[in-house]
C-alpha cells in the first residue's frame, strides 16, 4: 500500500447492521365514515365493510399538506429515538401525493423540522413506497455513508381521489408514519428486504394526468385524469400473489421461516387481501396487525403507520421478528424482515 492509499478513508467499505430506533405516526382529526360516504356516492356501509374491512378513514384539512403530516410523524419518531433534527443526515419521503411536483416533499419537511444537515429526496413506489424508502435509507446507513436516516411514508390521497367514483373513493385516506434508522450496534436489526416491480401492468393502477404524458389542461380536468384509476379485481389478484412471494423470498434470504415470525404488518389495502395472504403464507390471522377499519388505504403511509401502532400498543416487542409486506401501483411490491431491537 503506498502513502496515498493508506491515507484514503472509505467509509463505504463498512457494512453495518441497521435498526429502526424510533417510530411515529400521525392521523388527521377529521373522520370520514362509511355513513358519510353513503351520502356522497351510491354505496352502503355493508358493501364497504364486507368487500374491504374499512369503517372509516381520516381526511386532512385543506391547509394541511403531506409535508405537515410527515413532520408530525417525524417529530414523534425523533422523540422515540431520542435525537434532534440536526442529527438527521437524510430525509426520504415516500409518497404519491407530494406537496408539489417539485421541490421534493423531503425539502419541505427539512425546512419545517430545521434539519439543516440533511439531504432530501422523495421515493415514488405507490403503496410499496415506504419499504422501498426504508431499503434506500438502510443501504446508506449500512455502508457508513451516513449515520441517521429519517424515512417517512405520507399521503394526502383525498386530493387525488375521485369523490364521484364509488369504485375508488371509499378505499383511501390520509396520514403519515415515520421511522429513524441508525446503526447502534444491534445484533440483527433489519435482516432482509426484497423489492420488485412489473411495469407491464402499469395501466391497472395509475394517476394519468399532470405529468409529461398528459400535462394539465382544461381537457385533462374535464376527463378527470388527475384522480387515481384502478382495475380493482386485477390489482387484488396480483397483490396477493406478489406479496406472498415477496414474503417467502425475504424470509428465505435471512434463513427464517414463517413460523419464526411474531408479527406481520401487511399493506392495508383490503382485509380480504390480508386474509388471502394469511392462508397462503400459513400464518394465523392473530399474527397480522390490521388497522384498516380506522384508516382505509393510506398508500405509502399504511405500513409505517401500522408498524408504529403495533409498537405503541405492545403488539411488537423487543426481540420479535417482524415481517412487513406491501404492494402498489407500478406494479411495485416488497417485503422486509427485521428483529425488533428497541
Ligand atoms: N359500493 C357499492 N358497490 C360498488 C362499490 C361501492 N363503493 N364499488 C364498486 N361497486 C360495485 C361494482 O360496480 C360492481 O357492480 P356490478 O357487479 O354491478 O358490475 C360490484 O360492486 C363488484 O365490483 P368489483 O370491483 O368486482 O368488487 P371487488 O370485490 O373486486 O372489490 C375492491 C373492489 C374493494 C376495489 C377490490 O377489488 C380491491 O380491494 N382491490 C385491490 C385494491 C388494492 O390492493 N390496491 C392496492 C394498491 S393502491 C395504490 O397503489 C395507490
Amino acid at each position: 500500500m503506498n502513502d496515498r492509499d493508506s491515507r484514503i478513508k472509505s467509509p463505504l467499505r463498512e457494512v453495518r447492521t441497521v435498526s429502526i430506533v424510533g417510530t411515529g405516526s400521525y392521523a388527521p382529526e377529521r373522520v370520514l365514515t362509511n355513513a358519510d360516504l353513503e351520502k356522497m356516492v351510491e354505496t352502503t356501509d355493508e358493501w364497504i365493510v364486507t368487500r374491504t374491512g374499512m369503517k372509516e378513514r381520516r381526511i386532512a384539512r385543506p391547509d394541511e399538506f403531506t409535508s405537515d403530516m410527515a413532520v408530525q410523524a417525524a417529530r414523534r419518531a425523533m422523540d422515540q429515538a431520542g435525537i434532534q433534527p440536526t442529527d438527521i443526515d437524510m430525509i426520504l419521503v415516500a409518497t404519491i401525493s407530494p406537496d408539489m411536483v417539485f421541490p421534493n416533499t423531503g425539502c419541505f419537511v427539512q425546512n419545517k423540522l430545521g434539519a439543516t444537515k440533511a439531504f432530501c429526496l422523495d421515493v415514488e413506489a405507490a403503496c410499496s413506497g415506504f419499504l422501498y424508502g426504508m431499503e434506500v435509507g438502510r443501504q446508506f446507513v449500512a455502508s457508513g455513508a451516513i449515520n441517521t436516516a429519517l424515512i417517512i411514508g405520507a399521503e394526502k390521497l383525498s386530493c387525488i381521489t375521485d369523490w364521484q367514483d364509488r369504485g375508488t373513493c371509499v378505499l383511501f385516506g390520509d396520514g403519515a408514519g415515520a421511522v429513524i434508522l441508525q446503526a447502534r450496534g444491534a445484533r440483527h436489526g433489519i435482516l432482509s428486504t426484497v423489492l420488485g416491480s412489473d411495469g407491464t401492468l402499469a395501466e391497472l393502477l395509475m394517476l394519468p394526468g399532470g405529468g409529461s404524458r398528459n400535462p394539465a389542461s382544461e381537457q385533462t380536468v374535464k376527463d378527470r385524469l388527475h384522480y387515481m384509476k384502478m382495475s380493482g379485481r386485477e390489482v387484488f389478484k396480483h397483490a396477493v400473489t406478489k406479496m406472498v412471494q415477496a414474503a417467502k423470498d425475504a424470509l428465505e434470504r435471512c434463513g427464517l421461516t414463517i413460523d419464526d415470525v411474531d408479527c406481520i404488518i401487511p399493506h392495508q389495502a383490503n382485509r380480504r387481501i390480508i386474509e388471502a395472504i394469511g392462508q397462503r403464507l400459513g400464518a394465523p390471522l392473530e399474527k397480522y396487525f390490521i388497522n384498516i377499519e380506522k384508516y382505509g388505504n393510506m398508500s405509502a403511509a399504511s405500513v409505517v403507520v401500522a408498524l408504529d401502532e403495533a409498537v405503541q400498543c405492545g403488539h411488537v416487542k423487543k426481540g420479535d421478528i417482524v415481517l412487513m409486506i406491501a404492494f402498489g401501483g407500478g406494479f411495485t411490491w416488497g417485503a422486509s424482515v427485521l428483529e425488533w431491537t428497541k
Side-chain angles (χ1 to χ4, degrees), residues 7-159:
R7 280 182 290 113
I8 291 174
K9 285 193 209 158
S10 180
L12 297 179
R13 287 196 199 118
E14 294 177 35
V15 177
R16 309 188 293 179
T17 302
V18 179
S19 310
I20 295 176
V21 297
T23 63
S25 61
Y26 171 78
E29 256 171 52
R30 187 180 156 212
V31 175
L32 185 74
T33 64
N34 291 351
D36 297 327
L37 285 163
E38 284 177 353
K39 292 176 206 140
M40 296 161 63
V41 287
E42 204 184 324
T43 191
T44 60
D45 173 57
E46 196 265 335
W47 192 97
I48 302 171
V49 172
T50 28
R51 298 282 176 137
T52 71
M54 297 168 190
K55 293 182 180 158
E56 55 189 45
R57 63 290 292 143
R58 300 298 182 92
I59 304 293
R61 298 187 313 271
D63 65 347
E64 189 175 38
F65 313 129
T66 299
S67 62
D68 297 314
M69 294 187 278
V71 163
Q72 297 281 354
R75 287 208 172 105
R76 289 169 193 177
M78 287 190 299
D79 278 354
Q80 287 280 314
I83 65 158
Q84 300 301 314
T86 45
D87 295 325
I88 299 166
D89 300 305
M90 166 191 198
I91 299 175
L92 183 152
V93 180
T95 187
I96 55 167
S97 47
D99 284 23
M100 295 180 186
V101 172
F102 78 91
N104 70 62
T105 309
C107 288
F108 291 117
V109 172
Q110 178 200 34
N111 185 33
K112 287 171 191 174
L113 287 177
T116 45
K117 199 173 84 178
F119 66 88
C120 309
L121 72 158
D122 286 4
V123 158
E124 199 277 79
C127 305
S128 315
F130 172 70
L131 291 187
Y132 270 62
M134 192 175 80
E135 180 58 8
V136 173
R138 189 194 69 78
Q139 299 270 0
F140 270 94
V141 178
S143 70
I146 65 168
N147 288 320
T148 304
L150 165 60
I151 311 295
I152 303 169
E155 300 285 11
K156 188 172 179 180
L157 297 180
S158 56
C159 286

Side-chain angles (χ1 to χ4, degrees), residues 41-44 47-48 51-52 96 126-127 157 166-168 170-172 205 228 230-236 239 267 269-270 272-273 297 299 327-329:
V41 287
E42 204 184 324
T43 191
T44 60
W47 192 97
I48 302 171
R51 298 282 176 137
T52 71
I96 55 167
C127 305
L157 297 180
R166 69 175 183 171
T168 53
V170 302
L171 303 174
F172 300 107
L205 182 50
M228 288 180 279
M230 180 169 75
S231 308
R233 236 176 236 186
E234 284 297 301
V235 176
F236 191 113
H267 175 46
N270 189 317
R272 287 186 297 143
I273 292 179
N297 180 351
S299 194
F327 179 87

